[in-house]
Structure formats: structure tokens, C-alpha cells
Amino acid sequence: MRLIAFATKGTGSNEEERLRRLLSGFTTDFLPFDKKHRLGSLRRLLRELWNRKTSLIVMEGTGVAGGIAC
């Protein structure tokens, strides 16, 4: 199973670290998310998610930009 994950609090945040620990037993690609540039992050996420084949998308956090991407 291949997973894609991201944290809406941002790359390098405590939420991303928690997500990395939770998903450590799976093959997971972590996508970058910049909380200060939500619209740009949304565009990048949509592009990446559209072009990759994945079994599951995991989002840590809340927000419209992350929710729309999922």
C-alpha cells in the first residue's frame, strides 16, 4: 500500500512529526505544505495528487486548503 501524507500546520511542524511516527510502518510520501502560502500549497498538492497513484491520502490538521486537496 502506498500512502501520501501532509500536515496543514506545515512542513517540519509537530503535526508532521506526529504523522511520520504514526505512519512509520507504511511506505509514505510526505508532501510539503506551507501554511503561510496556503493557495500555492493547495495548487502543488492538487498537481501531485492528480499525477500520482496512491492507495490513501492522509492529512493531519484542518483547513480548507488541505480539505479541498483531499
Side-chain angles (χ1 to χ4, degrees), residues 4-6 8 42 45-46 49 56-61 63-70:
I4 291 179
F6 64 95
T8 60
L42 169 61
L45 283 173
L46 289 174
L49 295 173
L56 183 68
I57 301 168
V58 182
M59 179 180 94
E60 168 66 43
V64 174
I68 287 173
C70 285

Side-chain angles (χ1 to χ4, degrees), residues 2-3 5 7 11 13-16 22 26-27 29 31 33 38-41 43 45 54-55 58-60 62 67:
R2 185 147 201 95
L3 306 177
T11 302
S13 68
N14 62 330
E15 287 185 356
E16 183 183 58
L22 287 169
F26 300 94
T27 303
D29 293 331
L31 299 181
F33 192 92
R38 289 181 184 101
L39 188 56
S41 291
R43 285 188 202 126
L45 283 173
T54 185
S55 301
V58 182
M59 179 180 94
E60 168 66 43
T62 60

